[in-house]
Amino acid sequence: MFDALAEKIQSAIGKIAKKGRIDEETLNKGLREIKLALLEADVNYKVVSDFIKDIKEKALGAEVTKGVTAVQQLVKIVNDELVKALGGEAEKLQLKSKPSVILLIGLQGSGKTTTAAKLANYLKKQGKKVLLTSVDIYRPAAMLQLEKLGKQIDIPVYLNQNEKDAAKIAKEALEKAKEEQYDVLIVDTAGRLHIDDEMLEEARKIKEEVKPDEILFVSDAMTGQEAVNIAKAFDENVGMTGIVLTKLDSDARGGVALSVKGVTGKPIKFAGVGEKIEDFEPFYPDRVASRILG
Ligand code: GDP
């Protein structure tokens, strides 16, 4: 992930470094290369424009600090802008109620069910008592997939395959979580291949019923800018508190990671980095930026 982008940004900075001092012409040339690298990585155009503008302003306005070369200063500015684009400070889950409810929303195939199990396992390792539920009333196979994953990680899964009202199943699961003193309930919802009104309406109803502490939008990094547009639509129509970016291991470009905060204002809270349950980690913008800058 980010390999091509990292190589190109590092090469652009390397060329600037060779010049010794940074005048406006050298900077402009370097920034043009960085801009192209970002666009090739499929970063949102407006995010790229703001990124380049900010670097330019800061680099030209930077006071020369003693003991730090102009290039070191530029690297620091680029790093800060990358961290900003990736979301700034790492954002933790806000689980305040008991039980806390985490609602997972997103399109079919984005990795929702896998993420439900990964997240449950992650929280269990932190000592939390976790209950899972699937309210996908359209695909019995999705419910069974979650049940199977639950068995693998030894986390109970509440199902009601006879019920045709998703919000009702979510409510039943919440009642069980309350009665049996669970710390967290994770609700895996039905996705569709494309956004449609029925799916959004159903997600809103479930939200109303269980009043989640967190609504995490599960986004497939490989779908590029389309993922960013879908995130925006879900945020406007359902609302979300954060994003789980899946399949980062298969996404060579990294465009979604760098665009989604700028476009939606919502932070990436976790990254899916493989198919296995353990392939899941909190998202740290500063670590990702360091990886890009080498
Ligand atoms: P859902 O329809 O949104 O519930 O999606 P699933 O959880 O069934 O996942 C769809 C496919 O993506 C499955 O084959 C998963 O194994 C795969 N998948 C999910 N997350 C990741 C990830 O982080 N990395 C990779 N490589 N594959 C993933």
Side-chain angles (χ1 to χ4, degrees):
M1 124 183 89
F2 302 115
D3 289 349
L5 179 65
E7 197 185 312
K8 284 179 189 153
I9 289 188
Q10 287 170 31
S11 145
I13 291 174
K15 280 185 202 159
I16 297 174
K18 259 201 205 143
K19 287 264 177 183
R21 56 185 283 276
I22 304 178
D23 52 43
E24 194 164 349
E25 197 195 328
T26 312
L27 184 67
N28 280 340
K29 259 195 188 160
L31 287 182
R32 213 170 302 138
E33 271 187 45
I34 293 178
K35 182 174 180 175
L36 270 179
L38 289 165
L39 290 173
E40 277 171 25
D42 194 31
V43 182
N44 172 278
Y45 189 79
K46 172 142 196 326
V47 172
V48 175
S49 300
D50 291 348
F51 185 91
I52 297 295
K53 191 170 136 257
D54 285 355
I55 293 177
K56 194 168 170 184
E57 268 174 26
K58 285 184 189 152
L60 292 176
E63 295 269 324
V64 182
T65 321
K66 248 191 161 171
V68 178
T69 66
V71 172
Q72 281 168 336
Q73 230 163 352
L74 178 65
V75 171
K76 163 97 174 56
I77 293 168
V78 175
N79 179 71
D80 290 350
E81 288 302 314
L82 279 172
V83 172
K84 194 170 113 192
L86 290 159
E89 289 270 311
E91 298 228 18
K92 293 207 174 107
L93 283 180
Q94 302 289 326
L95 302 179
K96 300 221 168 88
S97 349
K98 166 98 192 202
S100 307
V101 179
I102 303 174
L103 187 63
L104 298 180
I105 55 173
L107 294 186
Q108 191 176 317
S110 60
K112 253 189 302 43
T113 303
T114 314
T115 297
K118 286 176 171 178
L119 183 59
N121 191 50
Y122 171 84
L123 292 170
K124 183 184 164 194
K125 282 194 176 153
Q126 295 187 344
K128 302 226 189 275
K129 187 177 172 193
V130 186
L131 178 65
L132 281 160
T133 187
S134 166
V135 301
D136 191 340
I137 51 174
Y138 312 97
R139 292 191 312 141
M143 288 192 174
L144 298 178
Q145 185 192 347
L146 188 66
E147 190 170 47
K148 193 169 150 211
L149 289 170
K151 282 211 178 96
Q152 261 180 47
I153 51 178
D154 199 21
I155 291 180
V157 179
Y158 177 81
L159 297 180
N160 182 353
Q161 286 174 286
N162 301 318
E163 178 56 61
K164 286 291 160 220
D165 181 344
K168 213 163 159 202
I169 304 175
K171 192 176 174 208
E172 288 168 5
L174 179 57
E175 269 155 22
K176 179 180 166 73
K178 276 182 191 157
E179 272 165 27
E180 298 176 19
Q181 310 250 310
Y182 281 89
D183 298 309
V184 186
L185 168 67
I186 299 174
V187 183
D188 182 20
T189 60
R192 303 262 164 91
L193 292 173
H194 304 282
I195 294 185
D196 66 43
D197 291 340
E198 217 180 313
M199 172 177 62
L200 296 172
E201 175 61 24
E202 183 178 275
R204 281 195 296 266
K205 269 195 196 148
I206 299 167
K207 175 182 165 184
E208 193 52 41
E209 199 66 72
V210 296
K211 310 242 175 332
D213 298 72
E214 289 272 358
I215 302 178
L216 299 179
F217 172 72
V218 180
S219 178
D220 177 344
M222 283 172 71
T223 52
Q225 286 315 292
E226 188 52 21
V228 178
N229 296 333
I230 295 164
K232 198 161 174 245
F234 266 95
D235 191 33
E236 285 166 2
N237 288 286
V238 184
M240 61 178 74
T241 55
I243 294 158
V244 180
L245 202 52
T246 63
K247 310 186 198 179
L248 262 184
D249 52 304
S250 317
D251 170 46
R253 296 174 302 173
V256 185
L258 281 155
S259 315
V260 80
K261 175 74 191 277
V263 176
T264 64
K266 297 296 156 68
I268 301 169
K269 294 200 172 178
F270 292 97
V273 292
E275 292 192 70
K276 292 206 279 307
I277 298 279
E278 296 76 28
D279 298 332
F280 184 74
E281 50 195 47
F283 189 78
Y284 295 110
D286 53 346
R287 292 188 200 167
V288 178
S290 305
R291 209 178 303 162
I292 295 174
L293 284 175

